[in-house]
Amino acid sequence: MMDLNEKFLSMALGGIEVHELATLPKIELRVDTSCHNLQVTGEILTSLEYLKLNDSVIRCFRDIGTSFKNVKVLNIARCEISEVQGIQAFESLEELYISFNQIGDLFDISFLENLRVLDLEGNNVKENGQMYYLRRLTKLIDVNFKHNPIEASCDYKKLVSENCP
Protein backbone atom coordinates (compact mmCIF):
# COMPACT_ATOMS: atom_id res chain seq x y z
CA MET A 1 0.00 0.00 0.00
CA MET A 2 1.29 3.48 -0.94
CA ASP A 3 1.92 6.06 1.77
CA LEU A 4 0.77 9.66 1.23
CA ASN A 5 4.14 10.90 -0.15
CA GLU A 6 4.32 8.04 -2.67
CA LYS A 7 0.73 8.69 -3.74
CA PHE A 8 1.48 12.41 -4.24
CA LEU A 9 4.64 11.63 -6.23
CA SER A 10 2.80 9.13 -8.43
CA MET A 11 0.04 11.67 -9.14
CA ALA A 12 2.59 14.42 -9.85
CA LEU A 13 4.34 12.16 -12.37
CA GLY A 14 1.22 11.30 -14.31
CA GLY A 15 0.35 8.05 -12.60
CA ILE A 16 3.69 6.28 -12.99
CA GLU A 17 4.00 3.57 -10.38
CA VAL A 18 6.52 4.25 -7.61
CA HIS A 19 8.43 0.99 -8.19
CA GLU A 20 9.00 2.07 -11.82
CA LEU A 21 10.74 5.23 -10.62
CA ALA A 22 13.64 3.32 -9.04
CA THR A 23 15.20 2.83 -12.49
CA LEU A 24 14.77 6.42 -13.68
CA PRO A 25 18.20 8.01 -14.50
CA LYS A 26 16.99 11.59 -15.15
CA ILE A 27 14.20 13.82 -13.89
CA GLU A 28 13.17 17.48 -14.07
CA LEU A 29 10.95 18.83 -11.30
CA ARG A 30 9.73 22.17 -10.06
CA VAL A 31 9.06 22.07 -6.33
CA ASP A 32 8.50 24.28 -3.32
CA THR A 33 10.35 22.65 -0.43
CA SER A 34 8.40 24.69 2.10
CA CYS A 35 5.42 22.50 1.09
CA HIS A 36 7.00 19.23 -0.10
CA ASN A 37 9.82 17.19 1.40
CA LEU A 38 12.26 15.88 -1.22
CA GLN A 39 13.88 13.32 1.10
CA VAL A 40 11.33 10.64 0.19
CA THR A 41 11.70 11.48 -3.50
CA GLY A 42 15.43 10.77 -3.34
CA GLU A 43 14.81 7.49 -1.55
CA ILE A 44 12.46 6.38 -4.34
CA LEU A 45 14.64 7.58 -7.26
CA THR A 46 17.62 5.41 -6.35
CA SER A 47 19.12 5.28 -9.88
CA LEU A 48 18.86 9.02 -10.46
CA GLU A 49 22.02 10.57 -11.95
CA TYR A 50 20.60 13.82 -13.40
CA LEU A 51 18.36 16.11 -11.34
CA LYS A 52 17.00 19.40 -12.63
CA LEU A 53 15.16 21.60 -10.13
CA ASN A 54 15.39 24.97 -11.91
CA ASP A 55 12.85 27.66 -10.94
CA SER A 56 11.93 25.83 -7.74
CA VAL A 57 11.70 27.29 -4.25
CA ILE A 58 14.61 25.76 -2.33
CA ARG A 59 16.08 28.05 0.27
CA CYS A 60 18.93 25.69 1.25
CA PHE A 61 20.27 22.23 0.52
CA ARG A 62 18.99 20.89 3.82
CA ASP A 63 15.50 21.27 2.32
CA ILE A 64 16.42 18.67 -0.31
CA GLY A 65 17.63 16.05 2.16
CA THR A 66 20.46 13.56 1.99
CA SER A 67 19.06 10.80 -0.21
CA PHE A 68 20.28 11.89 -3.68
CA LYS A 69 23.61 10.07 -3.33
CA ASN A 70 23.99 8.96 -6.99
CA VAL A 71 23.22 12.31 -8.65
CA LYS A 72 26.12 13.35 -10.88
CA VAL A 73 24.54 16.40 -12.56
CA LEU A 74 22.49 18.92 -10.58
CA ASN A 75 20.75 21.89 -12.20
CA ILE A 76 19.39 24.15 -9.50
CA ALA A 77 19.22 27.62 -11.07
CA ARG A 78 16.87 30.40 -9.96
CA CYS A 79 15.80 28.65 -6.73
CA GLU A 80 16.35 31.44 -4.17
CA ILE A 81 19.31 29.58 -2.61
CA SER A 82 21.47 31.75 -0.37
CA GLU A 83 23.75 29.11 1.17
CA VAL A 84 25.19 25.74 0.17
CA GLN A 85 25.47 24.08 3.58
CA GLY A 86 24.44 20.46 3.19
CA ILE A 87 25.51 20.13 -0.45
CA GLN A 88 28.00 17.45 0.65
CA ALA A 89 25.07 15.00 0.65
CA PHE A 90 25.46 14.99 -3.17
CA GLU A 91 28.61 12.92 -2.79
CA SER A 92 28.77 11.77 -6.45
CA LEU A 93 28.23 15.24 -7.93
CA GLU A 94 30.35 15.99 -11.01
CA GLU A 95 28.47 18.96 -12.49
CA LEU A 96 26.77 21.72 -10.49
CA TYR A 97 24.73 24.37 -12.31
CA ILE A 98 23.64 26.72 -9.53
CA SER A 99 23.32 30.00 -11.39
CA PHE A 100 21.16 33.01 -10.52
CA ASN A 101 20.81 32.39 -6.81
CA GLN A 102 22.26 34.40 -3.89
CA ILE A 103 25.33 32.30 -2.99
CA GLY A 104 28.31 34.14 -1.55
CA ASP A 105 30.14 31.44 0.43
CA LEU A 106 31.85 28.55 -1.40
CA PHE A 107 33.27 26.65 1.59
CA ASP A 108 30.87 23.68 1.45
CA ILE A 109 31.26 23.32 -2.32
CA SER A 110 34.94 22.59 -1.69
CA PHE A 111 33.99 19.16 -0.27
CA LEU A 112 32.58 17.93 -3.60
CA GLU A 113 35.62 15.82 -4.51
CA ASN A 114 34.30 14.70 -7.92
CA LEU A 115 33.19 18.14 -9.14
CA ARG A 116 34.33 18.89 -12.70
CA VAL A 117 31.93 21.69 -13.70
CA LEU A 118 30.82 24.59 -11.48
CA ASP A 119 28.45 27.23 -12.85
CA LEU A 120 27.91 30.06 -10.35
CA GLU A 121 26.80 32.73 -12.82
CA GLY A 122 24.72 35.52 -11.35
CA ASN A 123 25.35 34.80 -7.67
CA ASN A 124 26.80 36.93 -4.87
CA VAL A 125 30.46 35.83 -4.65
CA LYS A 126 32.34 39.00 -3.79
CA GLU A 127 35.25 38.16 -1.47
CA ASN A 128 38.59 37.17 -3.02
CA GLY A 129 39.12 34.63 -0.24
CA GLN A 130 36.17 32.57 -1.51
CA MET A 131 38.22 31.55 -4.54
CA TYR A 132 40.69 29.78 -2.25
CA TYR A 133 38.11 27.05 -1.57
CA LEU A 134 38.29 25.98 -5.21
CA ARG A 135 41.82 24.66 -4.66
CA ARG A 136 40.41 21.51 -3.06
CA LEU A 137 38.47 20.67 -6.24
CA THR A 138 41.27 18.85 -8.03
CA LYS A 139 39.01 17.56 -10.84
CA LEU A 140 37.50 20.96 -11.69
CA ILE A 141 37.89 21.76 -15.40
CA ASP A 142 35.15 24.36 -16.03
CA VAL A 143 34.07 27.24 -13.79
CA ASN A 144 31.77 30.21 -14.46
CA PHE A 145 31.64 33.29 -12.21
CA LYS A 146 30.03 35.73 -14.68
CA HIS A 147 27.86 38.42 -13.11
CA ASN A 148 29.22 37.96 -9.58
CA PRO A 149 30.62 40.98 -7.68
CA ILE A 150 34.07 39.30 -7.62
CA GLU A 151 34.26 39.64 -11.41
CA ALA A 152 34.86 43.39 -10.92
CA SER A 153 38.00 42.70 -8.89
CA CYS A 154 41.16 43.84 -10.65
CA ASP A 155 42.75 40.48 -9.74
CA TYR A 156 39.81 38.37 -10.91
CA LYS A 157 41.54 36.45 -13.71
CA LYS A 158 44.61 35.91 -11.55
CA LEU A 159 42.43 34.64 -8.68
CA VAL A 160 40.73 32.12 -10.96
CA SER A 161 43.97 30.88 -12.52
CA GLU A 162 45.72 30.55 -9.16
CA ASN A 163 42.88 28.78 -7.38
CA CYS A 164 41.38 26.53 -10.03
CA PRO A 165 43.35 23.32 -10.69
Side-chain angles (χ1 to χ4, degrees):
M1 185 159 163
M2 274 195 235
D3 71 14
L4 200 54
N5 283 325
E6 290 176 342
K7 192 177 246 184
F8 169 78
L9 186 59
S10 180
M11 287 184 343
L13 296 171
I16 298 171
E17 293 295 322
V18 174
H19 68 274
E20 295 175 295
L21 297 175
T23 61
L24 199 63
K26 177 180 178 178
I27 195 165
E28 297 182 20
L29 301 170
R30 188 180 298 171
V31 297
D32 181 344
T33 57
S34 63
C35 301
H36 303 287
N37 181 336
L38 286 179
Q39 181 70 34
V40 174
T41 307
E43 291 169 4
I44 294 168
L45 303 172
T46 55
S47 296
L48 198 65
E49 292 185 1
Y50 178 97
L51 177 59
K52 185 173 182 179
L53 296 168
N54 290 357
D55 300 307
S56 293
V57 177
I58 302 169
R59 301 257 170 8
C60 69
F61 279 90
R62 290 188 177 119
D63 293 344
I64 298 173
T66 60
S67 59
F68 291 99
K69 300 214 181 283
N70 297 318
V71 171
K72 292 181 180 177
V73 179
L74 177 61
N75 280 282
I76 193 160
R78 295 176 302 280
C79 291
E80 304 176 21
I81 299 171
S82 59
E83 64 178 49
V84 289
Q85 288 180 323
I87 196 168
Q88 301 94 308
F90 287 86
E91 54 195 49
S92 299
L93 203 59
E94 295 176 3
E95 298 180 27
L96 177 59
Y97 302 93
I98 193 165
S99 56
F100 303 104
N101 285 288
Q102 294 299 316
I103 296 161
D105 186 347
L106 306 179
F107 177 73
D108 290 272
I109 290 174
S110 72
F111 292 101
L112 298 172
E113 295 175 357
N114 298 308
L115 200 64
R116 295 181 306 108
V117 176
L118 176 60
D119 182 357
L120 278 157
E121 181 176 353
N123 274 280
N124 198 28
V125 179
K126 51 182 141 186
E127 296 176 21
N128 291 358
Q130 292 298 318
M131 301 300 274
Y132 181 78
Y133 297 126
L134 300 180
R135 289 180 179 208
R136 294 187 60 177
L137 303 174
T138 58
K139 296 180 182 176
L140 194 63
I141 57 172
D142 189 6
V143 64
N144 179 4
F145 279 97
K146 288 181 187 171
H147 308 295
N148 276 269
I150 198 168
E151 191 180 29
S153 168
C154 60
D155 295 338
Y156 171 69
K157 289 183 180 182
K158 183 179 176 185
L159 282 168
V160 172
S161 66
E162 288 178 350
N163 292 291
C164 293

